Every structure is written in structure tokens, then in C-alpha cells.
Amino acid sequence: MTESLTVNLGERSYSISIGSDLRSAIQAQVADLLKAGRKIAVLTDRTIAARQAEALQAMFGAAPMLAVAAGEETKSVAELGRVLEFLAAQGLDRTGVLVTVGGGVIGDLGGFAAASYLRGIEFIQVPTTLLAMVDSSIGGKTGINLTAGKNLAGAFHQPRGVFIDTQFLATLAPREFAAGAAEIIKYGLLGDAALLAQLERAPLTMTSDNLAAVIRRSCELKARIVEADERELAADGGRALLNLGHTFGHAIEQVAGYGTYLHGEAVAIGLCAAARLSAKLGSLSAADVARVDAVVAAHALPIRLRAPLALPALLAVMARDKKVRAGLPRFVVLQTLGVAVTRSDGITPIQVEACFRAVGAVDSL
């Protein structure tokens, strides 16, 4: 059975289709585009190209395809240029459509390429990881990393549609599945206490009976937030709430070196740090912090750094975070488990440093 929900953004609205085998639906979409005289091209990574060769052939036939290296390092200026040259070599015009098949790296890179090529062409997201299904494929944030920091170059560019085929999860490594669970835990913490309690009672696995329902609920939570604040311009709250755990997590990813931690693993540690910051601000109890640690650990995710990182380096990266406003880092903290708010005032460097130390950072290496 295929379910769908709509991200309502006026003329940029699109549908998210969720099911256990969406190959025929994707085939039909491709056929309609080709029938209308529109060229398509496919971007994926080499792991997906090898593991899902039959599915890719069934969905896209002879459509030109570029397979890039898997991993966060691919979100680079050099690889963006490579994708743009690929689109030009295939002769796509402004009616062309790029289909991204892969995890968050492929969606982010391909989406930014689609936003940039000929000043913008349409693209379709076919996420293949749990993290991409519940988070990065939805909402139109695209981008690449710079030496200075994560996702510092990019564009808001909404997809034409999103096809979430849960069959792709059958070949997903357990570590990658756990990384996606971090984003689902985030949704529970920031806006759905019932979802959080459900994850506490029965940690999500690839064989969970409620997997599709949890994916749909996560998509729904993100869609409603994006609808209210598409470009993250709200003075308080809004789309910035989706960054819960990310201000700490992005610093961890960059200082450790991209690839040391999967994005979801860094976010998981960031959630634990954010819970501690919330406690320091007086909104969470020690028992609440323990609950956050427990649900993160129950999903095979780290709650502390695997190896120490230098506190000065982490703070320097955090100061360059794209969420900084008027020179002040903007944190997402928890008023209670299930309700999050944004804060930039009243948070001291000493408190932030203490939270980093609590998850394993050290003053010097």
C-alpha cells in the first residue's frame, strides 16, 4: 500500500509517496516526463549503483546516470562542478529533470546542482537511507560543505516530488539505519512526546511492524514545520527547531573529520549535549537527561565522543555555524521532552563548554 502526504507551499507544493515498492510509480513518473519531451538524468552513488543495479535499470532504463563516491566528502565544490558538467554534457535544458537516488549526501549535492544549473531545473528525490527518508529529502534544503564548515554553500530548492521506497532499507547497513533513527528521535524530542515514548518502549529496527508509520509521522512533522517557515526566517522557533542537536553535531562532524562520524551519529551526541544545555538552563531535570541518553543508546547510537576532541576547535567551528545571528550562536533547547524552543540569549560560553566536556571534549589534546 502506498501512502502520500503533501508539503503545502503554494506553487512549490509537492507530494511525498511512501510505500514498500514504488518502482512502478517512479517508472510512470519517468515515462510521463519523457512523453512530454523532457530529458531526465540520474545522480546516485557507487554503492547504490552496485547494490541496486536492477532497480535502477527498471526505474530509469537508458537514462544517463552519474555515480559518485559515497560519503560526506562528496558534498564538495569539486563534485558539484562534476555534476553540473554532467548535466550540461547530457544536453538538459530548463525543462530537464534530475533524479537523485541515494542518501542525504546525494540529495543535498544533486538538489544544489539542480538549483544552480541553468539557474534552476526540477529534481525528484528518491531517498535510499532512513535519514534521507525522514529528513534531508524533505524541505528543499540543498548544499555542500566548505573547508570553513558544513552546508555553508547551498540553496532552498524544493523537489518536484519525493518517493520513499522502504525496500531500499533492506540493503542498508545497521550503522546507517541507526544514524537515521537519530533524526526520528529528534522529532520526538522537539515536537511529539508520544513518538518519543513509543521509541523508548520499543526501539525502532528494520523489522519493526510500525516502521512505515514512524517514517510517515516523521515526514509529517517535518512537512508541517517547513510549511510554516520554509526559509527559516522566523525570529523564534520555526524551521530552526529542526536543528535540535545539530549545532553541537555539526561541530563534532567537522572537527573529527568528515566520515569519522555519520551525520546521524554526530546528531545523536548533539542531542545528548543539547539535553544537558537544557538542564543547565533549568528546563530539564537530571532524569529527563537520562531519558535522552537512554533512548539514544537504545538505538545503537553514541552518547559520547568515541575519542576526545579539542574544545577550542569545536567552539571555533560552532562560531562559524550558519545559524549564527548577530554574532551569537543560536541553540535549540528543550522546554520539556517533546517541546523545543530556540535560544541565543542567556546562554554563556561556560555552559556550552561544559556540555561539550560532558560528551567527551577536552581542553587540549
Side-chain angles (χ1 to χ4, degrees):
M1 182 179 73
T2 301
E3 293 190 72
S4 66
L5 59 93
T6 301
V7 183
N8 295 294
L9 294 169
E11 63 181 11
R12 295 178 309 287
S13 297
Y14 54 94
S15 177
I16 303 170
S17 300
I18 306 168
S20 61
D21 185 358
L22 298 185
R23 282 188 293 183
S24 59
I26 296 168
Q27 285 173 333
Q29 176 91 164
V30 169
D32 287 345
L33 291 168
L34 295 175
K35 186 177 180 180
R38 303 178 68 175
K39 289 186 176 182
I40 70 162
V42 180
L43 176 67
T44 190
D45 67 46
R46 292 168 195 154
T47 301
I48 294 297
R51 291 180 180 173
Q52 303 289 346
E54 183 181 342
L56 291 170
Q57 173 65 30
M59 291 185 291
F60 305 112
M65 183 178 303
L66 175 64
V68 297
E72 190 72 23
E73 298 88 343
T74 294
K75 283 176 56 173
S76 68
V77 173
E79 288 300 310
L80 174 65
R82 186 178 172 207
V83 177
L84 293 172
E85 293 290 357
F86 164 70
L87 296 176
Q90 303 310 317
L92 267 70
D93 59 21
R94 282 181 171 164
T95 69
V97 180
L98 176 63
V99 185
T100 60
V101 185
V105 167
I106 295 300
D108 286 0
L109 175 65
F112 190 24
S116 306
Y117 181 67
L118 300 180
R119 298 191 173 93
I121 63 170
E122 289 189 329
F123 80 115
I124 294 170
Q125 292 264 31
V126 183
T128 61
T129 66
L130 182 61
L131 189 147
M133 289 177 183
V134 301
D135 184 53
S136 60
S137 68
I138 303 161
K141 276 190 176 181
T142 71
I144 58 173
N145 304 325
L146 302 180
T147 302
K150 186 176 173 71
N151 294 332
L152 291 186
F156 288 95
H157 190 55
Q158 299 295 340
R160 174 188 173 93
V162 180
F163 292 87
I164 296 175
D165 188 339
T166 57
Q167 282 195 348
F168 282 117
L169 298 177
T171 59
L172 192 66
R175 184 182 173 196
E176 290 276 3
F177 185 89
E183 295 287 357
I184 296 173
I185 294 168
K186 178 194 76 176
Y187 290 126
L189 288 170
L190 70 86
D192 192 336
L195 174 60
L196 177 64
Q198 181 180 332
L199 296 171
E200 289 178 303
R201 287 193 304 270
L204 198 66
T205 70
M206 280 190 269
T207 58
S208 294
D209 292 339
N210 64 339
L211 177 59
V214 170
I215 291 172
R216 189 189 192 286
R217 178 57 180 154
S218 299
C219 293
E220 185 178 37
L221 286 164
K222 180 160 188 181
R224 301 295 87 86
I225 291 172
V226 169
E227 288 168 355
D229 183 26
E230 180 185 3
R231 299 180 69 86
E232 204 169 311
L233 297 176
D236 297 295
R239 187 166 184 165
L241 295 176
L242 296 170
N243 292 314
L244 177 65
H246 287 60
T247 304
F248 290 101
H250 284 171
I252 290 168
E253 274 189 275
Q254 185 175 349
V255 174
Y258 292 123
T260 303
Y261 292 93
L262 297 178
H263 175 66
E265 293 172 334
V267 167
I269 300 170
L271 292 174
C272 296
R276 285 159 173 78
L277 180 58
S278 304
K280 290 184 181 300
L281 296 172
S283 55
L284 291 190
S285 67
D288 291 330
V289 173
R291 281 181 63 188
V292 175
D293 284 357
V295 72
V296 169
H299 286 82
L301 288 162
I303 62 174
R304 288 176 57 85
L305 298 171
R306 298 190 188 103
L309 295 176
L311 184 58
L314 291 166
L315 296 174
V317 170
M318 183 177 279
R320 297 193 296 268
D321 189 278
K322 64 183 182 298
K323 298 178 289 297
V324 169
R325 287 192 177 181
L328 296 172
R330 195 178 189 208
F331 292 93
V332 183
V333 296
L334 297 168
Q335 283 189 324
T336 184
L337 298 185
V339 180
V341 295
T342 53
R343 285 279 298 271
S344 56
D345 62 315
I347 297 174
T348 68
I350 291 174
Q351 290 172 322
V352 175
E353 291 169 11
C355 294
F356 266 131
R357 289 192 189 97
V359 296
V362 295
D363 291 339
S364 63
L365 293 175

